[in-house]
Amino acid sequence: MNVVLGVGGGIAAYKAAELARLLMRQGLQVNTVLTHSAGEFITPLTFAALTGRKVITDLFANRSAEDILSSSVEHIQVAQENQVLVVAPATADLLAKFAHGLADDFLSTLYLAFTGPIVLAPAMNTNMWNHPATVANLSVLRARGHRIVGPDAGDLACGTVGPGRLADPEQIAAVVAAAALNKEDLSGEVVLISAGPTQEPLDPVRYITNRSSGKMGYALAEAANARGAQVILVSGPVHIPPPPGVEVVSVRTAHQMRDAIVGRMEEATIIIKSAAVADYYVSTVPASKIKKTAARVSLDLEPTPDILAELGSRKGDRLLIGFAAETSDLISESRRKMKAKKADMIVGNLVNVDGTGFESDLNEVTLVMATGETIPVARATKREIAHIIFDHALRLRLALHASQ
Ligand code: PMT
C-alpha cells in the first residue's frame, strides 16, 4: 500500500523522517512531498535515502516540458496511486490552505485532488494553534472527516510551553496504518481498557507488583483511538507515555483500579481487561516501615476484588474481553476464566515464552471466544495484535447478537 507523506515547513519537519521510517515498518510504501519551506528545514535527500523513492519538492520542478504536456499530470497521478495522505507537520499555513482550497504548490494541489483518507498532524506555536483562524480552519477540516492527530502539549522550540508539539510519530504512524486499512469501524464506540500492573503496599516503602509494562494495554488504547473510538484507559503505574487522544485515569492499587473501572463502565460499549491486577494484597498496611529484626517475616495476604468477574456479572450487552496470563494449559485455563467471569472473549497469553508477553514489544496469543472458537495469533507486535483483537471482537459481537 502507498501513502503520501506531506512535510510542512516547521521545526518539527525533522521528525517526519522518523515517521517515514515507522510507516515503512508498517509495510507501507512512502512517497514524500516537501513544501518549499520544509526544504529549508530538512533535505529531500534524507527522505529519498530513507524511502528509496523520488521526493517531490515543487509543482513543476520534477517534470520536463514533455511531461507537462502529457495527459498524466503528476499531482493527479500521485493522488490516484496513493491510499492515504498524511501531512506532518501540518503547519498553520497548510491548514489554512487546505481549509480554503488554495492550490499554489504541489502539496496543496495534491490535497484538492486526493480522494482517500487524510491524516493531519498539526505542529506550531501555541498562540498560532489557539488563534481563532486556526481553530476555525481545524473545525472545517475535522468536518470533512480528516483525522487530526495531536498536537501534544509541552516545551516548544520557540521557548513557550503549551499545545503545539508534533504528536509522537509512533501515534501518527498507527493512525495512518489504520486509515490505510480504511478502518473507522470503532467510531461511536466507547472502549474502556485497563493496562499495566497494580502495586499493593506492604508498608510505606515496599509493595508487591508484577512485570507488566502496560505495553499491551496501551497498544489496545492506541489501536481503538486510531479506529475512531473514544478511549478511557485505566492504567496502573507504568513508564511509557500515554497514547495521544486517549483519556488516562491513573491508579495504583487493585482497589483503585476496580473503583475507576466500575465507575466508568456505564459509559463503555467495549471493556478490555489487559491489566495484570495483583491477586492478593495486605489489608492493614503498617504506618511505619517493617524493621529487619526477625529472621523470617510472613505476610498475611487477602484476595483483591476480582474486577473482571464483577464486570461480567453487570455487563449487560457490553462486549467484555479479559486476558489470561498463563504458564501452562493456556486454552483450558482461558476457557475456564471466560466461563467463570462471564467474559465474551479471553486473550490467552502464554507468558513463559521467550521474547513475548510481559515487557516485550511482541506478543503471541490465542483468542478464546464465547462462540467456542479458538484463534491462534502468531507472534507479532503488540500494536498488530491489538488490531487483530479488535477485528475479532467486532466479528464476535455480530455473532453473539445473531445468536440471541
Ligand atoms: O503489560 P505488558 O508488559 O505489555 O504485558 C502484557 C500482559 C502479559 C500483562 C497481558 O498481555 C496479560 O496477559 N494481561 C493479563 C494479566 C493477568 O492478570 O492475567 P490473569 O490470568 O491473572 O487474570 C485474568 C483476567 O482477570 C485478566 O483480564 C485480569 O485483568 C483480570 N483480573 C485479575 C485479577 C483481579 N483481581 N481482577 C481482575 O480483573
Side-chain angles (χ1 to χ4, degrees):
M1 230 174 256
N2 295 325
V3 300
V4 185
L5 169 59
V7 183
I11 188 67
Y14 75 96
K15 294 185 185 168
E18 169 69 355
L19 177 60
R21 203 181 57 75
L22 292 169
L23 291 171
M24 290 177 67
R25 233 173 46 191
Q26 306 258 14
L28 300 166
Q29 302 294 331
V30 179
N31 297 296
T32 314
V33 176
L34 293 188
T35 64
H36 177 73
S37 44
E40 302 288 330
F41 288 90
I42 188 162
T43 70
L45 189 60
T46 305
F47 292 96
L50 279 172
T51 63
R53 292 184 163 220
K54 180 182 92 172
V55 174
I56 297 171
T57 52
D58 187 63
L59 196 52
F60 295 108
N62 296 320
R63 295 188 293 127
S64 65
E66 271 169 20
D67 282 344
I68 293 168
L69 291 174
S70 79
S71 60
S72 170
V73 181
E74 194 171 19
H75 62 279
I76 303 292
Q77 195 181 334
V78 172
Q80 285 167 349
E81 288 174 356
N82 288 273
Q83 281 68 53
V84 181
L85 167 62
V86 50
V87 182
T91 58
D93 175 60
L94 283 173
L95 296 179
K97 277 183 181 171
F98 296 161
H100 295 279
L102 296 182
D104 62 355
D105 65 1
F106 193 96
L107 187 55
S108 52
T109 311
L110 172 66
Y111 169 82
L112 287 186
F114 200 81
T115 55
I118 294 178
V119 179
L120 302 173
M124 63 197 74
N125 161 271
T126 300
N127 291 340
M128 293 169 77
W129 174 248
N130 289 333
H131 193 282
T134 307
V135 172
N137 291 335
L138 238 295
S139 83
V140 168
L141 296 168
R142 263 189 228 283
R144 282 182 202 154
H146 303 339
R147 293 159 215 218
I148 315 292
V149 192
D152 289 350
D155 292 324
L156 303 182
C158 54
T160 54
V161 179
R165 202 163 63 182
L166 186 74
D168 180 359
E170 295 246 7
Q171 165 71 3
I172 304 170
V175 175
V176 175
L181 297 171
N182 215 0
K183 281 187 172 158
E184 269 291 310
D185 50 4
L186 291 176
S187 143
E189 305 280 353
V190 180
V191 182
L192 174 60
I193 298 169
S194 77
T198 63
Q199 291 177 353
E200 309 302 328
L202 302 178
D203 68 13
V205 298
R206 304 182 181 94
Y207 53 79
I208 306 173
T209 191
N210 58 64
R211 289 173 46 209
S212 173
S213 63
K215 287 180 182 175
M216 188 66 245
Y218 278 49
L220 284 160
E222 186 183 287
N225 179 55
R227 289 165 75 152
Q230 179 196 331
V231 183
I232 306 163
L233 175 62
V234 176
S235 176
V238 297
H239 302 285
I240 52 176
V246 163
E247 179 188 349
V248 181
V249 180
S250 298
V251 296
R252 184 175 176 211
T253 65
H255 284 83
Q256 289 169 1
M257 187 169 274
R258 183 256 161 216
D259 291 349
I261 289 175
V262 172
R264 301 298 296 269
M265 75 174 287
E266 292 299 325
E267 297 165 55
T269 54
I270 300 175
I271 306 176
I272 309 185
K273 286 283 292 90
S274 68
V277 186
D279 288 318
Y280 294 94
Y281 79 114
V282 173
S283 62
T284 314
V285 178
S288 21
K289 186 183 168 193
I290 300 168
K291 298 279 184 218
K292 191 182 161 191
T293 45
R296 294 175 72 91
V297 175
S298 299
L299 292 173
D300 187 18
L301 299 175
E302 290 182 30
T304 54
D306 190 325
I307 308 167
L308 186 60
E310 182 174 354
L311 295 171
S313 67
R314 305 170 51 174
K315 75 184 172 82
D317 58 3
R318 292 172 190 84
L319 195 69
L320 179 61
I321 302 174
F323 272 63
E326 306 295 340
T327 50
S328 63
D329 306 319
L330 183 68
I331 308 294
S332 57
E333 275 305 295
S334 299
R335 216 168 260 147
R336 186 186 64 73
K337 286 180 181 174
M338 184 174 67
K339 287 205 178 102
K341 301 180 188 215
K342 297 193 174 70
D344 300 304
M345 186 203 291
I346 289 284
V347 180
N349 204 168
L350 215 47
V351 287
N352 52 353
V353 177
D354 269 358
T356 69
F358 285 111
E359 298 162 303
S360 171
D361 288 334
L362 304 177
N363 215 353
E364 189 177 325
V365 299
T366 300
L367 309 183
V368 175
M369 324 274 259
T371 47
E373 289 169 280
T374 55
I375 300 163
V377 182
R379 185 178 291 218
T381 64
K382 285 180 174 165
R383 181 177 288 125
E384 287 162 335
I385 302 249
H387 278 287
I388 293 168
I389 291 171
F390 283 116
D391 291 343
H392 286 288
L394 291 175
R395 202 175 52 75
L396 173 66
R397 185 161 61 185
L398 287 178
L400 292 175
H401 282 171
S403 68
Q404 274 168 6

